[in-house]
Amino acid sequence: MSRGERGIDAGKRRAGEAAAGRCVRSGMRVGMGTGSTAVWAIRTIAVALSGGSLRDILAVPTSSQAEFECFDAGIPTTSLADPRVGGHLDIVIDGADEVDAAGHVTKGGGAALLREKVCAYAADRVAIVVTREKHVEHLGLAFPIPVEVVPFALAPVRSALLGRGLEVTLRHGSGKMGPVVTDNGNYLFDVRLPEPADVVELERELESIPGVVAAGIFAARTFDIFTAESDGSVTEPAS
Ligand code: 5RP
């Protein structure tokens, strides 16, 4: 591991700890995000629960990875369908693949975009935890935007994406032959944009293609962004 990677790992931890410390209060319904940054929020919440400074959290994982991290950290989990949760979360703390200057984000590098989006759009507040290099001028040029597709619709969705001039790759996994199968039993196309796009419109357009269940653009809501800087500080949202 290089010195730079160690710095990024430390930043992920700082961002996750800062967001959990600032945003989570006793009695909240909390969406537990996916990825190597959000896991630090899970671990921070676990420490606060075991120390008694936090109580009565209803934790809803956004993926099987987040669920296993909660189990490892000793946090019991539940689902959006739990009547105590009532399909609504107070806060989600999650990572992102890219963040643009308008505060729009892309997600799904860990293939968890659908549940992440369901949770994010069902929450009062979403804290996004990232390190500084995730900030970009335009989304989808360097890091691809995933599009989750039901298997039956793979061919027509691929044609529809190509027809829009997008660069399209079916995501393949490691440790398994063939395509990645998401937690929801679907496939993923990774889509790269040829040029900057109106991501608010693109999110709507991609999700209007029959067979697409979610696009990894999360532009239809606002986020509180916690950014770990290379100097060891964390830039937090105002207020
Ligand atoms: C998973 C996600 C992750 O939150 C995103 O990929 C960021 O992950 P990491 O913090 O490990 O870079 O969207 O689907």
Side-chain angles (χ1 to χ4, degrees):
M1 187 186 282
S2 74
R3 184 175 298 203
E5 284 167 335
R6 278 200 299 273
I8 289 171
D9 285 344
K12 290 178 181 190
R13 179 175 185 156
R14 282 197 306 277
E17 288 176 345
R22 285 266 183 259
C23 303
V24 181
R25 297 287 171 263
S26 293
M28 281 186 167
R29 300 159 292 181
V30 184
M32 304 298 212
T34 302
S36 56
T37 316
V39 70
W40 286 107
I42 294 175
R43 291 172 183 159
T44 304
I45 291 167
V47 169
L49 285 170
S50 66
S53 58
L54 203 57
R55 285 173 291 103
D56 304 325
I57 293 298
L58 288 169
V60 176
T62 58
S63 64
S64 51
Q65 185 241 358
E67 184 173 38
F68 292 152
E69 293 291 355
C70 286
F71 292 158
D72 283 350
I75 303 176
T77 65
T78 186
S79 72
L80 288 171
D82 182 333
R84 296 169 301 165
V85 175
H88 194 88
L89 299 168
D90 296 294
I91 176 84
V92 176
I93 304 178
D94 208 345
D97 296 313
E98 291 187 327
V99 180
D100 73 8
H104 300 316
V105 309
T106 57
K107 293 185 47 52
L113 63 152
L114 176 56
R115 293 188 190 186
E116 291 175 328
K117 183 171 266 193
V118 170
C119 288
Y121 284 39
D124 285 341
R125 185 179 183 197
V126 182
I128 290 290
V129 289
V130 288
T131 46
R132 175 52 64 184
E133 77 286 348
K134 297 281 184 85
H135 286 261
V136 298
E137 199 174 346
H138 299 290
L139 300 174
L141 302 184
F143 198 93
I145 298 168
V147 175
E148 184 161 344
V149 183
V150 297
F152 181 78
L154 202 65
V157 170
R158 183 170 182 276
S159 300
L161 296 172
L162 289 171
R164 285 166 170 78
L166 304 168
E167 190 187 300
V168 181
T169 310
L170 182 65
R171 192 183 300 184
H172 285 258
S174 56
K176 172 191 176 295
M177 307 297 269
V180 164
V181 178
T182 70
D183 286 346
N184 319 293
N186 296 317
Y187 296 149
L188 283 178
F189 283 124
D190 283 316
V191 166
R192 218 179 283 268
L193 309 184
E195 57 194 22
D198 174 347
V199 288
V200 176
E201 179 51 32
L202 186 62
E203 179 178 11
R204 263 191 240 118
E205 194 183 329
L206 293 176
E207 292 186 350
S208 73
I209 301 170
V212 169
V213 289
I217 305 169
F218 288 45
R221 69 153 302 145
T222 56
F223 300 100
D224 290 337
I225 297 172
F226 289 73
T227 304
E229 310 290 354
S230 56
D231 65 3
S233 65
V234 176
T235 302
E236 299 189 3
S239 86

